[in-house]
Amino acid sequence: MTGIDWERLRAAAREVTGRAYAPYSDYQVGAAALVDDGRIVVGCNVENASYGVGLCAECGLVSQLNATGGGRLVAFTCCNKLGERIMPCGRCRQLLFEFGGNGLLMDTPVGVLPMSEVLPQAFGPADLDHAR
Ligand code: THU
């Protein structure tokens, strides 16, 4: 898929920061991704009183991906409420890898990079298949 509308994705991510539930960190995150069938899925962080088990924005995004029909992630961006691009945490890189693989295009503060550079030598489904 070519011609990714990054500005549209970034706008979707920024918009959804407004629906984050982050009363504990006061750090609102929005994420948006293009799916291989053309739809856009989004997510925002959702915290709870047990601080350590809050949900990152990427958790909501992959849940929406699956709940609305599945598919593969093609391009991903996330930001804080100021619209500044941020990098997904380590756990969420793994989550995104599951649904986009090495070719998923990641919008980073230093430019668009493939997931293979954002999560090098990722452990993934192929490793399980290989040794089972
Ligand atoms: N957060 C995300 O939603 N995604 C990330 O990749 C980084 C961190 C959230 C988790 C927590 O609700 C807040 O940002 C502060 O860490």
Side-chain angles (χ1 to χ4, degrees), residues 10-21:
R10 289 170 190 145
R14 186 163 190 183
E15 186 191 354
V16 76
T17 63
R19 291 194 283 281
Y21 176 75

Side-chain angles (χ1 to χ4, degrees), residues 9 12-14 16-17 29-33 40-45 56-61 64 76-79 96:
L9 271 188
R14 186 163 190 183
V16 76
T17 63
V29 179
I40 288 178
V41 288
V42 298
C44 55
N45 56 332
C56 284
E58 293 85 344
C59 299
L61 182 146
Q64 186 180 92
F76 171 88
T77 190
C78 67
C79 67
L96 295 168

Side-chain angles (χ1 to χ4, degrees), residues 21-125:
Y21 176 75
Y24 303 102
S25 70
D26 193 28
Y27 189 79
Q28 294 79 12
V29 179
L34 177 65
V35 184
D36 61 355
D37 64 0
R39 66 195 208 279
I40 288 178
V41 288
V42 298
C44 55
N45 56 332
V46 178
E47 299 177 349
N48 66 78
S50 182
Y51 300 163
V53 295
L55 302 175
C56 284
E58 293 85 344
C59 299
L61 182 146
V62 298
S63 182
Q64 186 180 92
L65 171 72
N66 284 278
T68 59
R72 297 290 288 171
L73 298 177
V74 172
F76 171 88
T77 190
C78 67
C79 67
N80 61 26
K81 74 175 180 192
L82 302 177
E84 295 165 341
R85 241 159 283 171
I86 59 171
M87 291 301 288
C89 74
R91 188 275 302 270
C92 289
R93 294 179 200 200
Q94 186 73 38
L95 259 187
L96 295 168
F97 179 78
E98 181 76 19
F99 296 103
N102 280 315
L104 173 58
L105 296 175
M106 303 288 293
D107 192 23
T108 85
V110 296
V112 174
L113 296 173
M115 180 60 100
S116 56
E117 291 185 38
V118 168
L119 187 66
Q121 302 189 64
F123 178 84

